[in-house]
Amino acid sequence: YAKMNDVRVSDKSEIFNVNLTDALELRNLLPNAVLTMHSAEFRKESRGAHARDDFTERDDKNWMHHTLCSMDTDTGKVKLEFRNVHHNTMDENEMQSIPPFKRVY
């Protein structure tokens, strides 16, 4: 990420500029990839599509929360925070809460 500011577009055409499109996509996707990588490394469990070889089971006791991440795009510094999981529905009469369970595929 540190070299992102070195990316240049040499093609100056204004019609269907593939180089510009690629640079814009990189500028959008690279921070998302960095945040995903940091979040995945920080979370010490496997859960759903997030699977780790070194932590093969989910850990509801320690990891029953949402991981929120943000990035200072000037410095590349990543900030990780948590938000509690809401276990109840808005209207228990309309839809009962479903307790957490291990998904098996």
Side-chain angles (χ1 to χ4, degrees), residues 9-104:
V9 177
S10 57
D11 183 355
K12 303 298 181 190
S13 64
E14 296 180 12
I15 299 173
F16 198 67
N17 188 332
V18 177
N19 290 352
L20 177 60
T21 302
D22 289 346
L24 291 172
E25 287 178 352
L26 177 64
R27 186 179 191 122
N28 177 46
L29 293 173
L30 188 58
N32 286 294
V34 170
L35 291 171
T36 300
M37 179 184 68
H38 279 268
S39 298
E41 193 277 329
F42 185 74
R43 200 169 185 97
K44 308 298 184 208
E45 67 161 358
S46 288
R47 180 179 299 266
H50 171 78
R52 292 183 58 159
D53 292 334
D54 51 346
F55 297 96
T56 57
E57 297 296 320
R58 64 186 274 161
D59 180 0
D60 288 346
K61 181 180 176 188
N62 297 307
W63 292 100
M64 185 58 79
H65 54 258
H66 300 288
T67 305
L68 307 174
C69 54
S70 60
M71 177 187 220
D72 181 333
T73 55
D74 293 329
T75 64
K77 183 178 178 182
V78 173
K79 179 180 176 184
L80 295 167
E81 298 177 283
F82 302 108
R83 187 183 75 199
N84 291 332
V85 173
H86 299 286
H87 294 284
N88 300 320
T89 61
M90 290 173 55
D91 184 351
E92 290 286 329
N93 294 322
E94 182 177 328
M95 177 64 185
Q96 295 293 314
S97 296
I98 300 171
F101 62 93
K102 181 177 180 177
R103 295 185 183 134
V104 193

